[in-house]
């Protein structure tokens, strides 16, 4: 582990009292339950999920308010990306950075590029407006390490003006070994590497070329070079105690089965978290895969692969595949509020104390949520059943059922069993981008997106959609409005099990669901 | 000859700018341009023109036939 850093110290000062309190609650919770709530593979819920679990305190301190590294944190804390890194040193078949629609949300896409100075101003403006924004990431739109000067200049400026903000970056790994020491020097605690293969034969189908040491390499040679550099970079980071998340794009027929091998390879090199994401592929994106009709996985295929890898290491299930200029909680994008014109006109008053005070409140909310869940879990303790099912939840964040069915832009998906409620993903149901696909019945779209769920929890729902959901076999539940998700879901599940027991209902399995591929509206 | 950047295809990603051994590339009106007086097609520096090798869009850094072939001085 590298030495405790200035940045960590600053974060530590933020809410020492609350952190201790939280740590105690988490500790007590972990002791009570063994590790997390998912049952089965205990590993899954440790670290990436709710509590500290078996994580060393030093690592828990690093992840507990990072929305991407802690599933539990993502309900409360926000992140932002600054698009200071336009250049890239490799070409991927799922990426086309030329395409930039303001209404579209996927990695590699950005509406405007920033200079490091503009980025630093933007970070201060956002941090002042959104006090729960704790993480600044550089994720492109190209590769941060193909733009090392811009990336590190940005880090330097932000470390000076907003020392409590965690810095992180996301890279393809090709240039990573050359920059590991600089990354460590800037106290970057979190690095994400996108690793789609460890076999160059597979890689040759994903990467048409890489540019390295003044030369463009293609085919097997390119993929071999990339995988060697990625593995070396990963090892160098973990040696220095920097937490590594590995992102993998699941491409059916190309690397879907191979990702189990990738999972083993990155785990053995000390990766902390594995994020398997569905391929986003649509002809209008203009990517090679989009144009040649390569499909993305279904919800069931994705979940099956994530479940298969879960026994091996922590899996990230809450990734929203956000843009290189995203701002806000993971489920939202407030980047439109912070365009360069708007930021430059803003009077920014960076008030560390008010940020601290706000975050202390967030911690209170978080502790209350954990306590509520604990209560219900105890109630579930006597239940014996093999039934495991999925439910969808309409939420605006904070771990509450607080969104109207008709306003939801996404649904969280929770798996319920007698081991408790486990977050396993989310489904986007935004309306199609204007000028993209034609108008489609949004209710049908929603039903297709959550078709594998037995129930949908909402704050409110109209009579019409209610009837249609029931017809589709999905129970709309509005009796837990503005209550905690996990507690409510467990209460509902207990009743469900009782109904099955008494013969009032018969438990049947649900079908598959669709992962949205089209262009999406990101504005509120 | 020298290389030129097809402006309509340039994504303005800036990848070419630092790769040019002659510092011939700069940003102009939102896209990048090559100064024909400075471009040497990378002859004497590299096997292939660096801007074309790193450019993410095919056929965007291309030979500009409006100029005579670059003659390296001995």
């Amino acid at each position: 582990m590298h030495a405790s850093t200035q940045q960590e110290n600053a974060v530590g000062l933020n809410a020492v009292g609350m952190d201790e309190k939280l740590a105690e609650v988490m500790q007590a919770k972990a002791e009570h339950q063994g590790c997390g709530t998912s049952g089965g593979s205990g590993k899954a819920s440790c670290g990436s999920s709710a509590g500290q679990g078996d994580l060393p305190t030093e690592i828990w301190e690093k992840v507990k308010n990072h929305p991407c590294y802690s599933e539990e944190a993502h309900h409360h804390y926000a992140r932002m990306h600054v698009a200071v890194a336009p250049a890239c040193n490799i070409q991927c078949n799922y990426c086309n950075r030329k395409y930039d629609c303001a209404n579209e949300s996927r990695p590699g896409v950005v509406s405007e590029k920033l200079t490091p100075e503009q980025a630093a101003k933007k970070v201060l403006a956002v941090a002042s407006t959104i006090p729960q924004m704790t993480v600044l990431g550089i994720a492109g739109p190209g590769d941060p390490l193909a733009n090392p000067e811009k990336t590190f200049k940005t880090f330097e400026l932000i470390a000076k003006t907003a020392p409590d903000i965690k810095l992180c970056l996301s890279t393809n790994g090709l240039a990573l070994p050359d920059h590991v020491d600089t990354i460590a020097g800037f106290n970057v605690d979190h690095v994400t590497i996108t690793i789609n293969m460890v076999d160059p034969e597979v890689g040759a189908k994903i990467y048409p070329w890489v540019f390295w040491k003044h030369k463009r390499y293609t085919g097997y040679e390119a993929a071999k070079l990339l995988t060697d550099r990625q593995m070396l970079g990963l090892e160098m980071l973990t040696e220095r105690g920097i937490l590594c998340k590995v992102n993998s794009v699941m491409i059916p027929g190309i690397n879907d089965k191979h990702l189990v091998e990738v999972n083993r390879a990155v785990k053995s090199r000390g990766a902390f978290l594995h994020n398997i994401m569905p391929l986003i592929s649509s002809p209008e994106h203009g990517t090679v895969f989009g144009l040649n009709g390569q499909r993305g996985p279904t919800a069931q295929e994705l979940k099956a692969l994530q479940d298969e890898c879960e026994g091996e290491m922590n899996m990230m299930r809450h990734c929203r595949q956000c843009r290189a200029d995203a701002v806000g909680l993971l489920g939202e994008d407030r980047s439109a509020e912070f365009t360069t014109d708007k930021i430059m006109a803003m009077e920014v008053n960076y008030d560390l104390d008010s940020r601290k005070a706000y975050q202390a409140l967030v911690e209170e909310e978080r502790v209350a949520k954990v306590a509520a869940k604990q209560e219900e879990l105890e109630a579930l303790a006597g239940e014996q059943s093999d039934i495991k099912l999925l439910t969808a939840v309409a939420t605006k964040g904070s771990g509450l059922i607080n969104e109207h069915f008709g306003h939801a832009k996404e649904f969280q998906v929770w798996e319920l069993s007698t081991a408790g409620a486990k977050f396993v993903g989310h489904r986007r149901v935004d309306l199609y981008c204007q000028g993209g696909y034609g108008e489609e019945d949004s209710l049908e779209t929603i039903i297709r997106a959550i078709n594998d769920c037995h129930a949908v929890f909402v704050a409110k729902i109209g009579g019409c959609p209610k009837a249609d959901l029931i017809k589709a076999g999905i129970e709309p539940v509005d009796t837990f409005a503005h209550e905690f998700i996990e507690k409510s879901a467990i209460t509902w599940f207990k009743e469900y099990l009782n109904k099955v027991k008494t013969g009032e209902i018969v438990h049947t399995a649900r079908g598959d669901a669709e992962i949205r591929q089209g262009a999406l509206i990101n504005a509120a | 000859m020298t290389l030129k950047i097809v402006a309509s295809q340039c994504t303005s990603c800036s990848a070419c700018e630092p790769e040019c051994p002659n510092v011939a590339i700069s940003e102009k009106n939102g896209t990048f341009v090559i100064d024909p007086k400075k471009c040497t097609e990378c002859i004497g520096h590299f096997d292939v023109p660096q801007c074309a090798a790193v450019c993410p869009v095919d056929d965007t850094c291309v030979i500009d036939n409006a100029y005579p072939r670059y003659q390296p001085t001995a």
Side-chain angles (χ1 to χ4, degrees):
Chain A
M1 296 289 148
H2 67 107
S4 178
T5 64
Q6 247 185 352
Q7 188 201 343
E8 271 168 55
N9 290 341
V11 172
L13 283 172
N14 248 350
V16 170
M18 288 314 298
D19 285 356
E20 279 169 8
K21 192 174 158 197
L22 177 74
E24 273 169 35
V25 172
M26 293 300 187
Q27 191 61 42
K29 181 176 157 288
E31 278 164 15
H32 184 80
Q33 293 168 224
C35 181
T37 58
S38 75
S41 68
K43 192 75 196 145
S45 57
C46 304
S48 71
S49 184
Q52 182 172 351
D54 59 0
L55 283 180
T57 300
E58 197 181 33
I59 293 181
W60 173 241
E61 286 297 319
K62 285 183 187 174
V63 302
K64 68 176 187 186
N65 60 359
H66 193 310
C68 307
Y69 281 68
S70 161
E71 187 278 308
E72 205 268 333
H74 102 275
H75 301 286
H76 307 281
Y77 290 102
R79 54 74 181 100
M80 69 179 290
H81 289 163
V82 285
V84 295
C88 197
N89 47 10
I90 72 173
Q91 181 66 48
C92 307
N93 281 335
Y94 49 74
C95 179
N96 170 14
R97 283 172 302 114
K98 191 157 191 179
Y99 186 85
D100 176 9
C101 166
N103 286 333
E104 195 215 17
S105 174
R106 66 187 167 90
V109 172
V110 65
S111 285
E112 47 179 11
K113 279 166 282 200
L114 300 175
T115 63
E117 289 72 22
Q118 288 170 326
K121 176 96 197 267
K122 182 172 181 175
V123 171
L124 289 187
V126 173
S128 306
T129 314
I130 309 177
Q132 70 272 41
M133 196 280 284
T134 48
V135 173
L136 178 271
I138 299 182
D143 187 83
L145 301 180
N147 306 258
E149 277 154 32
K150 290 173 191 159
T151 296
F152 294 126
K153 180 73 189 169
T154 305
F155 282 163
E156 187 193 315
L157 292 172
I158 292 164
K160 239 183 259 165
T161 48
D164 65 321
I165 289 174
K166 279 181 199 289
L167 305 174
C168 74
L169 66 87
S170 180
T171 174
N172 61 47
L174 183 65
L176 181 57
D178 304 334
H179 298 290
V180 168
D181 287 326
T182 315
I183 290 169
F186 276 105
N187 304 325
V188 174
D189 278 337
H190 306 79
V191 172
T192 296
I193 315 173
T194 301
I195 301 179
N196 297 316
M197 53 87 206
V198 288
D199 175 357
E201 297 281 0
V202 175
K205 295 176 197 158
I206 303 169
Y207 304 103
W209 56 264
V210 310
F211 182 81
W212 194 59
K213 290 201 171 170
H214 307 295
K215 204 175 157 209
R216 183 185 280 210
Y217 295 83
T218 58
Y220 184 95
E221 204 185 358
K224 174 83 172 75
L225 189 59
L226 181 61
T227 185
D228 287 350
R229 302 279 294 169
Q230 286 174 334
M231 293 301 128
L232 176 63
L234 173 58
E235 285 168 5
M236 291 171 78
L237 287 172
T238 54
E239 263 168 31
R240 286 160 178 79
I242 296 170
L243 289 183
C244 289
K245 172 159 73 65
V246 169
N247 281 356
S248 300
V249 181
M250 179 182 182
I251 312 160
I254 291 186
N255 72 348
D256 47 342
K257 294 193 175 65
H258 178 62
L259 285 179
V260 178
E261 210 178 303
V262 170
N263 179 267
R264 274 195 294 269
V266 301
K267 185 196 159 64
S268 72
R269 287 171 177 82
F272 171 73
L273 187 62
H274 195 185
N275 173 25
I276 299 181
M277 309 175 286
L279 170 71
I280 298 175
S281 172
S282 189
E284 76 268 23
H285 295 151
T287 61
V288 170
F289 285 150
L291 294 171
N292 74 13
Q294 171 65 49
R295 72 170 179 97
T298 68
Q300 229 165 50
E301 287 170 335
L302 177 66
K303 183 172 180 294
L305 178 61
Q306 288 171 333
D307 288 348
E308 190 178 349
C309 293
E310 192 160 62
E312 300 287 321
M313 74 186 293
N314 303 319
M315 298 299 294
M316 177 180 184
R317 310 254 195 171
H318 59 286
C319 179
R320 302 302 200 281
Q321 295 172 278
C322 60
R323 293 162 58 102
D325 61 357
V327 173
L329 292 168
L330 295 198
E332 65 179 12
D333 186 357
R334 296 176 61 177
S335 55
E337 294 170 44
F338 301 99
T339 59
T340 308
D341 289 350
K342 288 179 190 165
I343 308 160
M344 290 305 153
M346 267 167 119
E347 264 307 307
V348 175
N349 174 25
Y350 192 73
D351 184 350
L352 200 56
D353 286 336
S354 75
R355 279 175 55 78
K356 275 191 239 171
Y358 188 93
Q359 289 176 17
L361 282 178
V362 170
E363 288 301 322
E364 272 177 45
E365 200 176 74
R366 193 171 172 176
V367 170
K369 195 185 94 174
V370 170
K373 177 179 161 185
Q374 189 53 42
E375 241 172 71
E376 281 309 305
L377 266 179
E378 278 161 19
L380 204 55
E383 297 284 344
Q384 290 278 328
S385 171
D386 293 333
I387 292 178
K388 206 181 229 189
L389 53 80
L390 300 179
T391 54
V393 179
T395 174
K396 285 183 204 165
S398 303
L400 298 168
I401 301 168
N402 55 4
E403 182 66 292
H404 189 295
F405 178 81
H407 299 164
K409 288 199 282 287
E410 66 166 28
F411 289 89
Q412 292 186 355
V413 177
W414 291 75
E415 187 174 66
L416 307 180
S417 70
T418 50
K422 174 183 162 192
F423 177 89
V424 293
H426 59 88
R427 305 285 159 72
R428 306 199 298 203
V429 293
D430 322 41
L431 296 171
Y432 279 118
C433 170
Q434 283 170 357
Y437 281 102
E439 283 300 311
E440 211 182 340
D441 190 303
S442 62
L443 187 61
E444 273 174 36
T445 307
I446 295 172
I447 289 174
R448 275 206 302 277
I450 60 169
N451 188 47
D452 50 351
C453 296
H454 277 77
V456 56
F457 293 83
V458 298
K460 213 173 169 197
I461 184 168
C464 244
K466 210 169 186 174
D468 284 349
L469 280 168
I470 292 168
K471 216 167 94 190
I474 303 166
E475 181 188 340
V477 183
D478 57 3
T479 47
F480 298 100
H482 304 285
E483 292 187 36
F484 291 113
I485 296 170
E486 283 150 288
K487 182 180 170 177
S488 307
I490 292 168
T491 306
W492 176 86
F493 184 61
K494 208 178 158 188
E495 283 167 25
Y496 183 89
L497 289 181
N498 274 335
K499 284 184 204 163
V500 172
K501 224 184 282 170
T502 59
E504 190 184 332
I505 52 168
V506 177
H507 175 70
T508 48
R510 301 278 310 159
D512 205 344
E514 210 170 81
I515 295 173
R516 285 289 307 277
Q517 296 292 316
L520 302 156
I521 286 175
N522 64 31
Chain B
M1 279 182 279
T2 163
L3 276 90
K4 65 173 177 183
I5 295 172
V6 180
S8 61
Q9 301 204 115
C10 176
T11 66
S12 199
C13 80
S14 79
C16 55
E17 189 186 11
E19 300 300 336
C20 178
N22 303 304
V23 200
I25 303 177
S26 60
E27 194 168 4
K28 206 174 173 187
N29 302 328
T31 62
F32 284 78
V33 293
I34 297 172
D35 182 347
K37 290 193 216 69
K38 291 183 181 168
C39 177
T40 64
E41 302 164 41
C42 288
I43 290 168
H45 293 281
F46 302 107
D47 295 344
V48 289
Q50 297 293 290
C51 53
V54 77
C55 181
V57 186
D58 289 342
D59 304 320
T60 297
C61 296
V62 293
I63 294 285
D64 188 347
N65 291 313
Y67 291 87
R69 179 89 200 178
Y70 174 75
Q71 295 296 329
T73 46

